[in-house]
Amino acid sequence: MASPRSTNNNERRLPEEWSDIFYGFNESFSSDHARALFPQLTSAAHKGSHGRIAIFGGSDKYTGAPYYAASAALKCGVDLVTVFCAKEASIPIKCYSPELMEDMFYLFAILEKAMECKLALVLDADALYMLSLEEYKDILEKLMSYENVVMTPNLMESKRLKEALRKYRNKQGCTDDDAWNNASIIVQKGSTDLVSQKYITLKCNEKGGLKRCGGIGDVLAGTISAFVALHTILQKSGRGNDYVARKIENQMFAVWIACCTVKKATHKAFNRKRRAMSAQHVLEEISEVISEIEQNLENSG
């Protein structure tokens, strides 16, 4: 079966849609590598075998974002999710879902400690806004050179971050300030999601919905967290020398699969609800999309 976009059997193309991974465009981003991110569920597994995630966010005005992110991670198969939030946000979030655990936090002290401990990070929304401010320029530079962080800016957030980097790097005499030039992974959200790390960019052209509503970015952040957690577990387990040797490519692929998952869920939710679609409807489709993806991988194995 030939892919409609395949023009040369020897061409090492990068996948742009979920179906592309089954056509052997590029051995680094294939169904075999995707299959590793969907470990079998067994009776020998324990709480935490498929990931433990901490979500930082939430205030008296904004309680939905951490809920959507945490719930998306759970629907992707993560075992345990703790939400660290402002005290006034804890009761509303707990009312949304009894599965979520809450605590208080101070974000930037935790970011420093997380990098020190080499933990995986996913940063979205207000965290990205704060990083664009002058007083946080030092930690922004640290994060840009940290391989275990994924940032998920929209168009405006991306513009702010680039302006902050350009301003700071000009002061340091840098000439390549127009490019991200990052060790971290950047997911620029849009009709086509762009997953980039240094000189590699994966495009997610998976068809989504036609309505843009608040909360979908939070669902994406939680879904990315889930797949990054699974990638981290595989990396630490030393499962095959090939997987360990391809750390950055595998991490990018995990993020790209998360983008495909949310695009598919948004497409399903839009077809079902049309103009009435909300982030909650997208969230409700995540588990079905994950099941379909697993079935695709099982049938191709």
Side-chain angles (χ1 to χ4, degrees):
M1 181 178 180
S3 165
R5 291 203 302 279
S6 179
T7 58
N8 187 321
N9 288 335
N10 295 320
E11 188 177 11
R12 285 172 53 83
R13 300 186 58 162
L14 297 174
E16 295 184 10
E17 297 176 5
W18 173 250
S19 58
D20 291 346
I21 70 171
F22 299 102
Y23 295 111
F25 280 174
N26 191 310
E27 63 185 16
S28 295
F29 305 103
S30 66
S31 57
D32 289 337
H33 289 105
R35 202 172 289 113
L37 291 165
F38 294 85
Q40 288 188 340
L41 300 175
T42 69
S43 58
H46 59 81
K47 230 183 328 188
S49 293
H50 299 108
R52 298 168 182 259
I53 289 177
I55 303 289
F56 296 88
S59 64
D60 57 341
K61 291 183 179 180
Y62 301 104
T63 58
Y67 160 73
Y68 284 133
S71 296
L74 289 171
K75 287 182 180 292
C76 288
V78 169
D79 294 330
L80 295 170
V81 179
T82 301
V83 176
F84 291 83
C85 61
K87 184 177 180 180
E88 58 268 24
S90 62
I91 293 177
I93 293 172
K94 194 69 175 179
C95 290
Y96 295 153
S97 174
E99 287 185 85
L100 304 179
M101 299 169 281
E102 295 83 32
D103 207 336
M104 297 177 65
F105 72 97
Y106 178 68
L107 178 60
F108 287 101
I110 288 173
L111 287 179
E112 294 273 14
K113 190 65 177 178
M115 286 189 283
E116 183 183 321
C117 297
K118 299 182 179 179
L119 297 179
L121 299 167
V122 178
L123 302 179
D124 185 40
D126 282 352
L128 300 179
Y129 170 72
M130 293 178 73
L131 286 170
S132 69
L133 301 178
E134 179 76 15
E135 56 263 43
Y136 300 115
K137 64 177 186 285
D138 290 340
I139 193 168
L140 173 59
E141 280 290 358
K142 288 180 183 178
L143 285 164
M144 295 305 293
S145 61
Y146 183 60
E147 289 185 348
N148 277 350
V149 65
V150 181
M151 300 186 195
T152 61
N154 58 28
L155 187 61
M156 183 54 67
E157 290 161 346
S158 177
K159 182 180 178 181
R160 286 197 201 102
L161 287 172
K162 283 187 174 181
E163 286 178 350
L165 286 168
R166 187 176 298 117
K167 181 179 179 182
Y168 178 63
R169 289 173 176 174
N170 272 342
K171 290 180 181 178
Q172 303 302 311
C174 297
T175 57
D176 191 26
D177 60 328
D178 286 330
W180 282 112
N181 194 25
N182 53 294
S184 57
I185 293 176
I186 305 294
V187 180
Q188 187 162 309
K189 298 176 291 190
S191 56
T192 296
D193 293 336
L194 302 178
V195 182
S196 63
Q197 196 271 343
K198 286 191 176 177
Y199 308 111
I200 303 174
T201 297
L202 293 176
K203 295 180 181 180
C204 176
N205 274 328
E206 195 70 38
K207 190 174 183 181
L210 296 180
K211 184 184 176 186
R212 290 295 303 167
C213 55
I216 296 178
D218 306 313
V219 172
L220 176 61
T223 303
I224 289 174
S225 298
F227 280 95
V228 168
L230 290 170
H231 157 76
T232 302
I233 291 169
L234 284 169
Q235 190 73 28
K236 288 183 177 179
S237 71
R239 174 177 171 166
N241 292 330
D242 181 51
Y243 194 92
V244 174
R246 299 173 62 260
K247 177 183 176 181
I248 297 300
E249 288 178 323
N250 284 328
Q251 191 173 24
M252 287 188 69
F253 196 31
V255 172
W256 181 84
I257 291 173
C259 291
C260 288
T261 299
V262 175
K263 290 286 190 187
K264 283 175 170 287
T266 305
H267 183 64
K268 282 177 173 289
F270 179 75
N271 285 345
R272 187 160 58 89
K273 293 294 183 180
R274 306 298 290 181
R275 292 182 187 274
M277 187 193 85
S278 69
Q280 184 64 37
H281 300 129
V282 177
L283 187 62
E284 291 166 0
E285 298 290 348
I286 292 289
S287 56
E288 183 178 341
V289 170
I290 291 292
S291 294
E292 289 177 357
I293 286 176
E294 282 195 277
Q295 193 63 52
N296 287 161
L297 293 170
E298 288 173 9
N299 291 341
S300 69

